[in-house]
Amino acid sequence: ALRFSLRNDNFEAVGHILDLSLTNYEKNYLIYFIAENFSYISKENSTLTLQLEQNGIHKALIKHLINFDFVDSTYKDTIKTLLQIAKDPENAVFYHTILGILDCLSLDQELLCKRIEKLEALNYDSNKWLIDPRSALEIIYLKNKGITLANNEVLLKIEKFKSDPFYLDNKAKEFPNVGDVLSLLLVITINLFYGTPSEVIKICNSIAKLYPKLFTSKKPFAVYLLNLSAVAKAKIKPDPKTDQMEVILANLMDRRHKTTTLYAQTLFQSLKAYQYKNKMEYEKALSIAYDNIEIYKRNNLTIYEISAYNLVINIFNEIGNHEMANNYTFIKMNVLDSKNVNTAPFHSTAN
C-alpha cells in the first residue's frame, strides 16, 4: 500500500501512514523505506523533489526524526538519503545539522569540516535558530584542532542560557519546535567538548524552565534530557534524587519499551552502570560498560565510547587493579590517536 501511494504521488496517505502506532524499530524502518523509494522515484520524476516540498513531506518526516536514534543502523542512512532529495535550504540545514552532530560524536574532523562548508554554502537565515548550526559545529571542530577561542559568541550565549533560560528564547512556548530541539541538542553536544557533567545539569534545568510542560510530556526529547541529567548526577554527586530519576526512567523504558529508541535505552544502561559503580557493584557496572563500548564502536559514536572507557578505568582504579586501568587507558588513547584530534582535553577520566 505504501509503495503504491509513493508511486502515485498520494502524499496525504504517506502522512497518515507515518502517524500509525508502530514500534520505534518499525517507524525507523518505515521512514527509511519512504526515503529510499522517494530517492529512486526522483531519478525518473524530475518534479518529485519540488512536490515533496510543496506537500510538506519533509516537514512530516522531520517531525518523526527528532527522536535522534543514533544507534539505529538505518537512522543515519535515512538522513543522508533525504538530504539528497531536499530542495528547500531550510530542510537541508536540518539534515546537515543532524549529520554534523554525528560527525562530532564520531570525532571525524574531515567529515565535520566538509559539513561546515556545506552549511556555509546554503546561505540560510541563522537568526531563525536559537543556536546557529554552522557556528556550533565550527567551534567543536576548532576545539578538536586544539585552537582556543576567546569571547566566542556561541559559547557566551550558552553560558548566559545556564543562568537565564529565556536568553535564547524569550517567546512563551509550552514545547520547543523542531528547530528549537535541534538547537538545544547542539548546546548539549557543545557541552561534551567544552563543559562538564555539572554543566549538563544546568543546561537541562534551564530547558525545563524554558519549556515547563516538556518534562511531564514523556516526549522522546524529554526522556533524553531526563537521562542526561540522571547520568550527570550519577557521575558527580549521586543522591536520592538520582535514584528517583532512575526509577522513573526504568518505568518509562518498561512501559514504553516498543516506542523507546535504542539510543535512549543505551543512555539508560549508562546510568545503570554509574549507579552500580556508586554502589560498589563493580562486576555489574563493568558488564554494562563493556556492552555499551561495543554499541558505540558499532555506531561510530567515539565520544561516548571514550566516556565508557573512562568509567571502566575509574572502576579498575577504585578496586586497585591499576594494570587493567592502564590497559584501558592505552586502548582509549589509541582510539583518540586514530582520530587525529587534539587528545589533551580527553586525558581526564572525569567525564
Side-chain angles (χ1 to χ4, degrees):
L2 178 56
R3 185 178 281 111
F4 180 81
S5 297
L6 297 175
R7 287 223 163 257
N8 289 276
D9 299 339
N10 188 350
F11 299 116
E12 187 177 351
V14 174
H16 291 314
I17 291 168
L18 284 170
D19 290 329
L20 290 174
S21 179
L22 301 170
T23 67
N24 186 68
Y25 173 79
E26 289 167 341
K27 181 63 69 69
N28 284 349
Y29 190 78
L30 174 67
I31 297 174
Y32 175 70
F33 178 84
I34 291 171
E36 286 292 320
N37 272 270
F38 276 145
S39 177
Y40 179 78
I41 296 167
S42 69
K43 294 181 175 78
E44 303 172 353
N45 181 356
S46 60
T47 66
L48 180 68
T49 53
L50 182 59
Q51 288 178 286
L52 294 177
E53 303 290 355
Q54 291 173 338
N55 287 275
I57 295 300
H58 281 286
K59 302 295 184 192
L61 290 167
I62 284 170
K63 184 178 73 173
H64 294 278
L65 288 169
I66 57 168
N67 60 6
F68 306 120
D69 200 353
F70 294 157
V71 298
D72 186 297
S73 58
T74 63
Y75 185 84
K76 188 174 183 178
D77 290 336
T78 300
I79 301 293
K80 286 180 176 179
T81 303
L82 289 171
L83 177 58
Q84 291 170 2
I85 55 174
K87 198 173 184 69
D88 185 338
E90 292 301 320
N91 291 329
V93 170
F94 178 88
Y95 297 135
H96 272 303
T97 302
I98 293 181
L99 292 172
I101 289 170
L102 284 165
D103 297 337
C104 294
L105 298 180
S106 67
L107 295 180
D108 193 321
Q109 287 288 89
E110 185 178 347
L111 278 181
L112 185 53
C113 183
K114 290 177 181 176
R115 191 77 54 203
I116 294 165
E117 290 172 355
K118 287 174 182 176
L119 279 168
E120 195 164 14
L122 285 171
N123 197 28
Y124 62 95
D125 184 2
S126 62
N127 293 321
K128 290 183 178 180
W129 294 78
L130 303 182
I131 295 289
D132 173 29
R134 186 194 60 77
S135 299
L137 298 180
E138 189 172 47
I139 64 172
I140 293 172
Y141 175 80
L142 293 173
K143 176 76 172 184
N144 288 338
K145 294 282 284 184
I147 298 171
T148 304
L149 299 174
N151 299 318
N152 177 265
E153 183 182 352
V154 173
L155 294 176
L156 291 172
K157 262 188 176 183
I158 293 172
E159 198 56 39
K160 183 71 175 173
F161 175 65
K162 293 171 193 172
S163 57
D164 178 9
F166 298 96
Y167 180 76
L168 283 186
D169 188 358
N170 58 13
K171 301 181 184 73
K173 286 187 284 191
E174 293 181 346
F175 299 102
N177 61 35
V178 168
D180 296 339
V181 169
L182 199 48
S183 288
L184 294 169
L185 186 60
L186 284 168
V187 171
I188 292 162
T189 305
I190 289 167
N191 191 74
L192 287 170
F193 296 87
Y194 283 89
T196 63
S198 62
E199 302 303 301
V200 172
I201 297 169
K202 290 179 184 177
I203 290 167
C204 291
N205 287 343
S206 285
I207 294 171
K209 290 173 185 173
L210 186 58
Y211 307 108
K213 290 195 175 182
L214 178 62
F215 276 83
T216 58
S217 69
K218 299 184 180 65
K219 290 178 181 289
F221 189 55
V223 175
Y224 170 69
L225 293 173
L226 184 61
N227 241 325
L228 285 184
S229 293
V231 170
K233 286 181 70 64
K235 282 182 178 181
I236 58 172
K237 196 176 180 182
D239 57 17
K241 188 173 181 181
T242 315
D243 297 334
Q244 183 184 15
M245 293 165 84
E246 183 182 5
V247 170
I248 292 169
L249 284 163
N251 289 334
L252 283 170
M253 298 292 166
D254 185 51
R255 290 202 312 270
R256 306 182 67 196
H257 180 73
K258 289 184 177 180
T259 56
T260 303
T261 66
L262 292 171
Y263 186 48
Q265 292 171 31
T266 307
L267 285 176
F268 179 60
Q269 288 303 309
S270 295
L271 169 61
K272 288 173 66 176
Y274 281 104
Q275 288 286 76
Y276 279 133
K277 172 186 171 290
N278 295 334
K279 296 168 186 173
M280 294 188 288
E281 296 184 47
Y282 297 119
E283 286 188 16
K284 291 180 180 177
L286 285 171
S287 176
I288 293 173
Y290 294 147
D291 287 344
N292 278 359
I293 286 169
E294 293 307 311
I295 291 170
Y296 297 142
K297 276 185 185 176
R298 191 164 59 245
N299 293 280
N300 202 21
L301 298 172
T302 310
I303 198 78
Y304 291 130
E305 183 186 346
I306 297 303
S307 181
Y309 282 132
N310 287 341
L311 173 60
V312 171
I313 293 164
N314 287 333
I315 288 172
F316 280 122
N317 277 327
E318 277 192 23
I319 63 179
N321 192 336
H322 301 299
E323 183 180 352
M324 286 298 288
N326 289 336
N327 284 344
Y328 275 98
T329 300
F330 179 75
I331 293 169
K332 167 187 154 181
M333 295 312 297
N334 275 347
V335 170
L336 288 167
D337 286 339
S338 72
K339 294 292 181 174
N340 295 315
V341 296
N342 176 36
T343 61
F346 300 100
H347 287 175
S348 170
T349 59
N351 292 345

